[in-house]
Amino acid sequence: MSNLRILVPIKRVLDYAIKPRIAASGKAIDLTGQKMSLNPFDELSIEASVRLREAHGARISDILAFSAGPTKSQDALRTAMAMGADRGLLVDTNNELEPLAVAKILKKVVEKENINLVILGKQSIDDDAGQTGQMLAGLLGWGQATQAAEIELKDDVVKVVKEVDGGTETVQGKLPMVVTTDLRLNEPRYASLPNIMKAKKKKLDKETLESYGEGLQGRLEILEIAEPPPRQGGGKVEDVSGLVGKLKELGAI
Amino acid sequence: MSSLRYDVKRIYKELLYLGRDYPLGYAYFRPRLHKAFMSQKGLQGEEEIKTGIARAEHVKKEIEALYFLKKYRAMRERYGACPSAEVEVERQREIEAMAGR
């Protein structure tokens, strides 16, 4: 039975309650002065790793929260540490990283830190790519269980229940593994004030993007970002014949 | 007595911190929280104050639960099965159950 060293990659994103505004360039979301917070799916993955510790105690030797992004991402890392991660690692960069680049960085972190379980959110609510976990598993050659609705650890076997159309699917695999979290996995705890204060004493390392080598540049160019078309207002009809007429006009009957 | 004083201050500060995320805004939350605490300033007995603190702890849990639910519902609406589909499946099952009977 091996000890677990868990890696939880997180992302700082525009808060879920805020409506995104398109920047003047039309190719980005305007983030200036907006409230940013921890990606909700990443909260689930931190909660999952903390719950593994609560269930298995001594077996969990490390929970490392990781983020790659602007310096302010350390706020998200602090939140993660307040929820129960042991330490944080930030790769400080202002470049917009694509999922493949993040997966490549994560692979190096996994190798350096001797990680044997990676739990990540299935997607971030800003880019909605939902690729990082799968690409990381591919790069590492590990098994992956995506969109977990339940995670159970027994010896070196990880059992994951997934929600599929109208039912559930249960898969299991041996460590090392990559698991991505779905919405109904757990109820993330709130990062309370005393815990945020305690988290300030936890270790947070910073590294530069350059130390992670080549091949991290983006391959896609954003051409345009557009809002969904505004909803067309409905109309009222006077009586039944009006309704029938309207339906005929639309070709519905 | 003095330790209770710090307990009250601690829970007040924790609630203030929670208030920063309050849906109706911090400006709505803060005066109301202050009023709620001030209305209890006359409490004298140790037991009374402890009950008051317990009530504040309860409110804190309620607010945390509120935030969780609000976020969960928003995420489900955006990423989960749409509610109408769930209703549809439920209706289908009812029809099947009736047909089976």
Side-chain angles (χ1 to χ4, degrees):
Chain A
M1 236 171 44
S2 54
N3 275 352
L4 261 79
R5 295 177 61 82
I6 305 177
L7 173 66
V8 188
I10 61 167
K11 187 174 186 184
R12 173 177 173 264
V13 298
L14 185 65
D15 191 77
Y16 81 99
I18 289 173
K19 193 174 176 291
R21 277 200 320 253
I22 297 175
S25 69
K27 297 184 178 187
I29 298 295
D30 185 12
L31 296 178
T32 44
Q34 298 283 32
K35 185 183 174 197
M36 306 289 281
S37 52
L38 180 56
N39 177 28
F41 289 109
D42 298 341
E43 286 180 358
L44 292 159
S45 56
I46 293 161
E47 180 68 32
S49 63
V50 175
R51 287 194 187 189
L52 278 178
R53 164 167 286 155
E54 282 166 359
H56 298 278
R59 266 197 81 189
I60 316 290
S61 49
D62 189 28
I63 300 176
L64 170 63
F66 169 91
S67 190
T71 316
K72 282 253 176 97
S73 298
Q74 47 185 301
D75 297 347
L77 285 171
R78 293 270 177 233
T79 312
M81 289 192 277
M83 288 173 73
D86 294 323
R87 58 201 180 95
L89 175 62
L90 172 67
V91 171
D92 200 338
T93 173
N94 283 321
N95 298 3
E96 200 53 48
L97 293 169
E98 285 180 12
L100 180 59
V102 178
K104 280 178 177 170
I105 297 171
L106 286 174
K107 179 173 183 257
K108 291 205 169 131
V109 176
V110 164
E111 283 160 358
K112 201 169 70 185
E113 301 281 349
N114 258 330
I115 301 294
N116 53 7
L117 179 62
V118 186
I119 308 180
L120 21 56
K122 66 169 180 169
Q123 62 188 182
S124 67
I125 62 164
D126 52 358
D127 291 336
D128 287 324
Q131 301 166 350
T132 311
Q134 290 88 327
M135 284 182 174
L136 176 65
L139 289 175
L140 287 165
W142 291 6
Q144 57 175 320
T146 53
Q147 320 215 349
E150 269 176 52
I151 302 176
E152 195 187 315
L153 175 72
K154 204 176 168 221
D155 301 331
D156 278 352
V157 175
V158 183
K159 198 170 169 190
V160 166
V161 178
K162 310 156 66 150
E163 284 178 2
V164 291
D165 269 350
T168 58
E169 180 185 59
T170 310
V171 294
Q172 68 172 35
K174 273 199 173 147
L175 291 174
M177 276 263 280
V178 174
V179 177
T180 70
T181 59
D182 202 354
L183 186 58
R184 267 178 282 276
L185 177 60
N186 54 40
E187 301 88 41
R189 64 197 68 191
Y190 194 83
S192 67
L193 183 59
N195 285 340
I196 292 269
M197 289 304 173
K198 277 182 215 152
K200 287 191 176 162
K201 293 200 183 81
K202 289 186 179 174
K203 205 161 148 245
L204 200 168
D205 293 319
K206 276 190 215 163
E207 287 175 354
T208 57
L209 188 62
E210 286 70 43
S211 56
Y212 283 86
E214 296 292 309
L216 303 176
Q217 64 275 31
R219 294 159 189 237
L220 293 176
E221 184 193 352
I222 293 173
L223 296 180
E224 185 199 10
I225 292 179
E227 287 196 18
R231 190 178 165 277
Q232 301 286 324
K236 272 190 180 170
V237 288
E238 285 295 315
D239 48 15
V240 176
S241 58
L243 174 66
V244 172
K246 201 83 176 159
L247 285 171
K248 275 197 179 137
E249 196 181 298
L250 293 167
I253 50 172
Chain B
M1 230 16 222
S2 66
S3 80
L4 272 183
R5 184 183 172 77
Y6 284 114
D7 278 348
V8 173
K9 277 185 154 178
R10 179 188 54 79
I11 186 71
Y12 183 66
K13 279 183 185 166
E14 280 179 30
L15 283 166
L16 266 186
Y17 178 78
L18 269 177
R20 302 199 307 187
D21 290 334
Y22 201 70
L24 293 172
Y26 190 55
Y28 175 93
F29 186 88
R30 207 178 75 103
R32 277 165 181 79
L33 180 67
H34 189 254
K35 217 173 97 192
F37 270 72
M38 283 310 275
S39 70
Q40 304 296 313
K41 70 176 175 183
L43 295 189
Q44 287 298 329
E46 196 165 319
E47 279 312 305
E48 272 178 57
I49 296 174
K50 275 188 180 154
T51 326
I53 293 173
R55 195 157 73 223
E57 293 281 357
H58 177 73
V59 170
K60 187 181 125 194
K61 272 198 197 130
E62 292 278 306
I63 296 176
E64 282 179 7
L66 166 80
Y67 291 171
F68 165 73
L69 260 182
K70 191 166 170 273
K71 190 180 284 184
Y72 173 78
R73 288 194 178 130
M75 299 314 286
R76 190 184 60 180
E77 206 172 280
R78 288 177 210 174
Y79 295 106
C82 62
S84 61
E86 277 169 21
V87 171
E88 208 55 53
V89 167
E90 202 53 47
R91 196 172 297 152
Q92 197 63 37
R93 283 195 185 131
E94 271 169 30
I95 292 169
E96 277 164 19
M98 276 165 75
R101 196 178 55 188

